[in-house]
Amino acid sequence: MSMLLSRALCQKIRLDLVGGESILKSDRSPVTIADYGSQAVICKLIRERFPNDTIVAEEDSKELRKPDRLKILEQVTHYVNAFVPASSSKEVCSWIDFSSNAMTDRFWTLDPIDGTKGFLRGEQYAIALALIENGVVILGILACPNLYVDIHHPFGEKGCLFIALKGKGSFQMDNNGVSKRTLSVSKVKNPSEAIITESVEPDHADHLTHQRLAKRLNISKPSLRMDSQAKYGIVARGEATLYLRVPSPSEPGYKENIWDHAAGSIIAEEAGGRVTDVLGRPLDFSCGIKMVKNHGVLVSNEILHDVVLKALGM
Ligand code: AMP
Ligand code: MG
């Protein structure tokens, strides 16, 4: 429920503020408003339903409470009110701050807007929520408001909700959380038939190494460049075979955030995929907000995983 409200809130902000001519795309205020609004709504609903659970989310309200941010706070409150009527600015800040960095045995992790650059470009972004118990992701939910429902109809209906529960499979629902489809990864066995998905952003991955790998494996199909964890969704649906994220040479020591991978990873795994770092190690969500024990990410249809790890040779 919280994901559907948050998805609607983010889309409304995107259409009102990014869609208009009045705001330059370089102005980050629309994404800021959407980030805070999305986090407020989701944290409020999680806290109501699971009062003892910890939430580890990307934002806090420190900046928002500053007097010179009053206008932004008013806008956040305005949008939250459209979905949670009669909420005050004070309440909105307190809901955002249900998030803490105190890692407990069981906690939720939230990226209120993953793929902010995609959000501003009108391309892909995701609202990503996962539940982690003893370092294991047991539930992942990914709302992708701009993702086409079916790759065969790229101009058809948009808006997908991915849900995966440990041991129970991975599913896609429509915009209203109604029609349910079981997901499974691609059956491709021959590496040359694989389709790679990777970040749009030049500095978020080592695209040159990805190209070299594609050449080594005789992959000729163009890669699908896409923002956000929507990439995990299209691997889970079998539309991409591999999601590559070798750290960028501009930031070789970059450590991934847990909220950028927790929800997506279980969605790909429960659809039959495999998720490791680029050295073949399982993703470790137990070290804090940064995945300090991992280096990059590799997602596959399982069949091709070892072949790709070997070809990467990292
Ligand atoms: P994507 O759209 O796949 O590039 O993922 C977006 C996420 O990339 C954001 O949520 C950031 O947390 C993360 N990010 C930021 N800087 C880097 C970087 N240098 N390398 C990898 N990921 C990054
Ligand atoms: Mg993110």
Side-chain angles (χ1 to χ4, degrees), residues 35-313:
D35 271 320
Y36 286 130
S38 166
Q39 181 160 324
V41 169
I42 294 174
C43 286
K44 176 189 190 289
L45 295 178
I46 292 177
R47 185 50 60 91
E48 271 171 16
R49 181 72 182 77
F50 306 101
N52 300 320
D53 282 1
T54 308
I55 307 168
V56 179
E58 189 166 12
E59 310 299 337
D60 65 56
S61 78
K62 206 167 145 221
E63 189 64 29
L64 200 55
R65 289 175 193 262
K66 291 183 178 165
D68 59 342
R69 296 289 182 202
L70 188 63
K71 217 168 171 54
I72 295 266
L73 177 57
E74 280 171 2
Q75 279 187 289
V76 175
T77 309
H78 163 77
Y79 281 102
V80 170
N81 259 284
F83 300 92
V84 185
S87 34
S88 67
S89 289
K90 205 171 157 204
E91 283 173 315
V92 166
C93 286
S94 72
W95 298 336
I96 292 168
D97 290 336
F98 284 155
S99 166
S100 79
N101 283 349
M103 314 291 279
T104 47
D105 288 349
R106 173 184 153 109
F107 66 93
W108 297 82
T109 187
L110 169 69
D111 193 340
I113 292 214
D114 180 35
T116 51
K117 290 176 180 164
F119 178 88
L120 289 169
R121 275 191 252 104
E123 296 175 11
Q124 295 308 320
Y125 71 97
I127 299 143
L129 178 68
L131 178 60
I132 298 180
E133 277 185 8
N134 302 313
V136 178
V137 184
I138 59 162
L139 168 70
I141 310 174
L142 209 53
C144 301
N146 275 340
L147 187 65
Y148 41 85
V149 167
D150 184 337
I151 198 169
H152 303 298
H153 299 99
F155 301 106
E157 192 190 341
K158 276 180 173 180
C160 308
L161 189 70
F162 296 99
I163 300 187
L165 196 58
K166 187 89 185 155
K168 302 281 184 214
S170 194
F171 307 93
Q172 177 178 305
M173 293 180 176
D174 66 13
N175 256 336
N176 305 311
V178 183
S179 91
K180 198 162 116 181
R181 163 181 157 199
T182 305
L183 303 178
S184 55
V185 294
S186 134
K187 306 274 187 295
V188 162
K189 288 190 187 71
N190 186 340
S192 67
E193 287 167 27
I195 296 175
I196 293 170
T197 183
E198 55 187 336
S199 174
V200 172
E201 289 303 314
D203 294 336
H204 286 186
D206 186 348
H207 297 284
L208 201 60
T209 295
H210 296 179
Q211 279 165 24
R212 286 201 195 104
L213 175 94
K215 211 166 166 198
R216 211 168 294 150
L217 297 175
N218 293 317
I219 294 173
S220 56
K221 290 183 186 148
S223 71
L224 299 171
R225 289 186 71 157
M226 192 174 275
D227 302 281
S228 86
Q229 287 170 73
K231 292 186 279 298
Y232 282 100
I234 64 164
V235 172
R237 293 202 308 213
E239 293 163 4
T241 332
L242 305 168
Y243 165 17
L244 298 180
R245 196 178 186 86
V246 176
S248 161
S250 64
E251 220 177 320
Y254 181 81
K255 294 295 171 195
E256 304 283 344
N257 299 310
I258 53 171
W259 50 72
D260 283 331
H261 296 282
S265 64
I266 188 171
I267 286 158
E269 283 172 347
E270 286 294 324
R274 188 166 157 206
V275 183
T276 67
D277 69 4
V278 293
L279 292 143
R281 301 174 294 203
L283 299 190
D284 190 329
F285 296 103
S286 67
C287 302
I289 63 169
K290 288 279 176 190
M291 295 159 61
V292 292
K293 292 191 181 160
N294 292 115
H295 186 68
V297 174
L298 170 65
V299 186
S300 76
N301 66 343
E302 158 83 278
I303 306 168
L304 294 179
H305 209 87
D306 290 335
V307 176
V308 175
L309 281 175
K310 199 167 168 211
L312 272 171

Side-chain angles (χ1 to χ4, degrees), residues 19-40:
E21 292 299 310
S22 57
I23 289 195
L24 290 174
K25 299 228 167 173
S26 59
D27 181 337
R28 291 180 55 81
S29 56
V31 79
T32 307
I33 295 163
D35 271 320
Y36 286 130
S38 166
Q39 181 160 324

